């Protein structure tokens, strides 16, 4: 402290309270730190009675004293306050303005009463400074003062049990033992004469005051003796508030930190001429001061570096030991509050402490919530990572979720316990429930994803194991097709469902959900078969034509059929159509449930057995196929309705009629090609009419040789020119081709004969004209025939073959083989 402050004017002469000055005085003298361990002493008495002089000598204060050389006049104006020196506990003394002063006049006693009441309200010890020669006198100057003191005391609802120390100044030779009884008697008379309220009429003086008497010699005449007596009196103020001291039984003490505010409020009430209720005032002072202390501690907490660092750290993530760190900070401020407010009213102190604690907790609660949020995020991520690792290690899904969830929740609870404050009963259950819900939601999401993936895998497996085999079975559709499909479906579905059930066991689903998953996969397997059946039903016409072609164009050994004229085309056609109709009946409905139906019999009886004329009749109600549904077959299992079957059959017959016609034509052509003998009547006519010529030949064998040679030449020309092939595409085109090839062929044959007769190999003289080859003639004639009259393509006709009657070797109709002996003769 720089300049030491000894005294300050508490209340000026006009009655204004110097609050800033008192606050400064308290800080300078550290009075606020004293708690209840301090005493307040005041002095009152007539003007110029030596009050300031006594205080300065008694407590080493520096109050202004009267200058005797300048006459007796008012020295102290208002009320002054100073700290006593050399006295324990801390003691402050108030020097009141003297009473009965001429400066204020005879009638201006208001300030005297107000200052007296003020001194009695805040002082523990009140010094009554009085002259020795006034004791026992009826009209002495001390009587108005005492009367004023007693009158104003009645305005205190609950007096503080103030000690009145009468200081007899300028003591004479009369012993104190004789003066004190007289003084006490006078005081009692004054007390009895004061009017009191009805509630206090029987109140004794001792209930309000402790009376003490001391005497001092004259300061001016016996200064040394006066100093010694003052030194002895000073010792009475040491430990004055201890039991047995001058103020050992005081009541309603205001803590030192509230002294300035209490004094100000008391003076305000007194100035307003109101009755002073000290207990209520004490509570009011405690309320104001405790609230000030609480606000100060809260303000310090707000700017506390430790708290700010902790708050900033929480913004980044969880902080280990948050509860202990923050609790220690709060405990420190609450302890400071308790130390500063310990001497105030307990009820008020406790209430304000709770308010401080509530405000402090309200201040830090958002940070606590943020910390819980970080903990929730941290342990939710931990759950996700732990569950992912558990699933990678092939653990059961449900057990993994349960184990990881319990671990995360347990560690979250530990984190909450670490973050909990001992000063608060904050509940983290909502955040815990939120974490639990987040964990459940994530687990449910992962479960759905895993189960969807599992379902897709088994659906793909079922699709692979059912789709192509079912398609193959439909391609070879027959009587047992649906039985085979049912066996395949049952076998594959059971295998898949068994494996799927084992995979689902790790999820620990309830029975309803488990059965639902199994049923969905089973229905999917059925849908694969049904979907493939519907696809194949859309291609039924193609399948029917393929089946018809396979049966019609191939024999029982699956070899291409050669139409030689011996085959029963009608029977073959009927069998082929029956096979196609069986395929249609197979594709007409889905038969996975093994329910018997009459589709095949209905189709056979209606489309195969009924006469053609009846098929062309308009559809009537008696027609079994004049319906959109099959008997004993549900619409959902219907692939091709009866009406659609009838329409498909008509289209099928129309598109396969050409193959039948081609087969019949091939038979007729084969018959014509193999008819070498003339009719019997012609043979008989030739025999009768040519009998003479025959006899001539028989009589002359040379004619037979010439005829034989001519026959050989004719046969060679026939084979070399491939006459049969030339005339297949018409007579005109045959003659044109024969006319262009006849002469070169004859010349070539003659050259060959001449070369062979000379024993030399035959070399063609004209390189532009290669040797004639029957195969080349055949190919040339075929190309010309195709260019002049291209045939209509047909699978059955193109695959049909003809058989040569001479060689016995089967070959295509467009690619006949040349007879071996004819070919030899052509090369000779």
């Amino acid at each position: 402290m720089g300049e030491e402050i000894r005294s300050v004017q508490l209340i000026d002469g006009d009655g204004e309270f110097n609050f800033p000055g008192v606050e400064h005085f308290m800080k300078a003298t550290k009075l606020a730190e004293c708690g209840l361990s301090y005493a307040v002493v005041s002095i009152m008495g007539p003007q110029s009675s030596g009050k300031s002089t006594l205080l300065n000598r008694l407590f080493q204060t520096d109050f202004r004293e009267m200058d005797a050389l300048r006459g007796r006049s008012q020295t102290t104006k208002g009320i002054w306050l100073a700290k006593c020196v050399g006295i324990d506990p801390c003691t402050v003394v108030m020097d009141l303005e003297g009473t009965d002063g001429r400066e204020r006049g005879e009638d201006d006693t208001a300030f005297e009463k107000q200052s007296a009441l003020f001194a009695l309200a805040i002082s523990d010890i009140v010094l009554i400074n009085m002259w020795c020669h006034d004791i026992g006198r009826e009209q002495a100057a001390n009587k108005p003062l005492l009367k004023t003191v007693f009158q104003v005391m009645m305005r205190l609802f609950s007096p503080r049990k103030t000690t009145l120390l009468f200081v007899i100044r300028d003591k004479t030779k009369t012993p104190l033992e004789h003066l004190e009884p007289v003084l006490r008697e006078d005081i009692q008379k004054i007390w009895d004469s004061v009017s009191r309220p009805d509630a206090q009429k029987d109140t004794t003086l001792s209930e309000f005051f402790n009376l003490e008497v001391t005497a001092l010699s004259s300061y001016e005449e016996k200064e040394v003796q006066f100093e010694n007596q003052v030194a002895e009196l000073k010792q009475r103020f040491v430990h004055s508030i201890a039991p047995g001291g001058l103020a050992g039984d005081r009541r309603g003490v205001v803590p030192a930190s509230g002294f300035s505010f209490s004094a100000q409020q008391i003076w305000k009430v007194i100035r307003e001429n109101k009755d002073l209720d000290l207990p209520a005032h004490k509570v009011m002072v405690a309320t104001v001061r405790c609230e000030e202390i609480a606000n100060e501690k809260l303000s310090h907490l707000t700017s506390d570096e430790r708290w700010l660092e902790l708050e900033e750290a929480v913004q980044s993530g969880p902080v280990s030991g948050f509860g202990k760190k923050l609790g220690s900070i709060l405990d420190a401020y609450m302890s400071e509050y308790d130390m500063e407010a310990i001497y105030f009213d307990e009820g008020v102190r406790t209430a304000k402490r709770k308010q401080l604690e509530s405000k402090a907790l309200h201040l830090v609660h958002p940070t606590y919530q943020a910390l819980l949020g970080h903990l929730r995020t941290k342990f939710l991520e931990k759950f996700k990572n732990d569950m992912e690792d558990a699933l990678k290690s092939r653990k059961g899904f449900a057990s993994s979720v349960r184990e990881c969830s319990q671990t995360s929740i347990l560690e979250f609870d530990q984190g909450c316990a670490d973050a909990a404050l001992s000063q608060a009963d904050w509940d983290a259950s909502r955040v815990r429930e939120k974490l639990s819900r987040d964990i459940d939601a994530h687990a449910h999401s992962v479960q759905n994803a895993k189960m969807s993936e599992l379902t897709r895998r088994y659906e793909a497996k079922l699709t692979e194991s059912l789709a192509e085999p079912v398609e193959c079975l439909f391609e070879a559709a027959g009587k047992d097709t649906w039985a085979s499909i049912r066996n395949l479906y049952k076998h594959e579905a059971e295998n898949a469902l068994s494996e799927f059930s084992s995979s689902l066991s790790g999820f620990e689903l309830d029975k309803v959900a488990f059965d639902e998953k199994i049923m969905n996969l089973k229905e999917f397997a059925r849908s694969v078969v049904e979907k493939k059946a519907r696809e194949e039903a859309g291609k039924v016409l193609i399948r029917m034509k393929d089946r018809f072609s396979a049966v019609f164009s191939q024999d029982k050994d699956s070899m291409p059929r050669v139409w030689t004229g011996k085959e029963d085309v009608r029977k073959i056609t009927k069998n082929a159509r029956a096979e196609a109709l069986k395929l249609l009946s197979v594709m007409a409905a889905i038969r996975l449930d093994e329910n018997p139906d009459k589709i095949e019999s209905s189709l056979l009886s209606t489309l195969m057995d009924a006469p053609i004329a009846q098929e062309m009749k308009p559809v009537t109600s008696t027609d079994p196929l004049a319906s959109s549904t099959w008997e004993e077959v549900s619409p959902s299992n219907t692939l091709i309705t009866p009406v659609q079957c009838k329409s498909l059959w008509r289209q099928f017959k129309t598109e396969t009629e050409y193959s039948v016609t081609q087969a019949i034509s091939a038979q007729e052509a084969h018959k014509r090609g193999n008819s070498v003998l003339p009719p019997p009547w012609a043979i008989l006519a030739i025999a009768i009419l040519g009998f003479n010529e025959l006899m001539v030949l028989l009589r002359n064998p040379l004619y037979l040789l010439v005829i034989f040679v001519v026959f050989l030449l004719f046969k060679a020309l026939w084979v070399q020119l491939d006459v049969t092939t030339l005339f297949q595409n018409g007579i005109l085109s045959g003659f044109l081709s024969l006319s262009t090839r006849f002469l070169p062929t004859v010349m070539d044959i003659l050259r060959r004969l001449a070369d062979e007769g000379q024993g030399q190999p035959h070399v063609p003289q004209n390189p532009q004209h290669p040797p004639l080859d029957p195969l080349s003639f055949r190919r040339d004639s075929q190309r010309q025939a195709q260019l002049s009259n291209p045939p209509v393509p047909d699978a059955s006709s193109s695959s049909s073959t003809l058989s040569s009657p001479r060689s016995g070797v089967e070959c295509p109709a467009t690619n006949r083989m040349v007879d071996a002996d004819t070919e030899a003769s052509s090369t000779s």
Side-chain angles (χ1 to χ4, degrees), residues 236-256:
R236 299 185 65 181
F237 287 93
V238 176
H239 303 299
S240 59
I241 61 174
L246 285 176
D249 56 350
R250 63 178 181 169
R251 297 192 295 266
V253 182
V254 175

Side-chain angles (χ1 to χ4, degrees), residues 166-235:
F166 290 89
V167 181
I168 302 174
R169 303 292 298 275
D170 295 348
K171 173 180 169 296
T172 60
K173 294 181 180 181
T174 305
L176 181 59
E177 292 81 3
H178 295 163
L179 294 174
E180 184 176 351
V182 177
L183 179 59
R184 289 183 180 272
E185 185 180 351
D186 290 342
I187 294 172
Q188 187 63 44
K189 289 181 179 180
I190 297 172
W191 173 259
D192 294 337
S193 64
V194 173
S195 60
R196 296 188 297 276
D198 294 339
Q200 298 177 347
K201 282 185 177 182
D202 298 331
T203 305
T204 60
L205 180 63
S206 60
E207 295 181 16
F208 282 81
F209 300 103
N210 292 324
L211 299 181
E212 298 289 339
V213 180
T214 188
L216 299 175
S217 300
S218 175
Y219 170 69
E220 296 179 353
E221 296 177 358
K222 301 177 181 180
E223 184 175 356
V224 176
Q225 189 176 0
F226 176 81
E227 294 291 347
N228 293 333
Q229 291 173 348
V230 168
E232 293 178 0
L233 179 60
K234 182 178 181 179
Q235 294 303 315

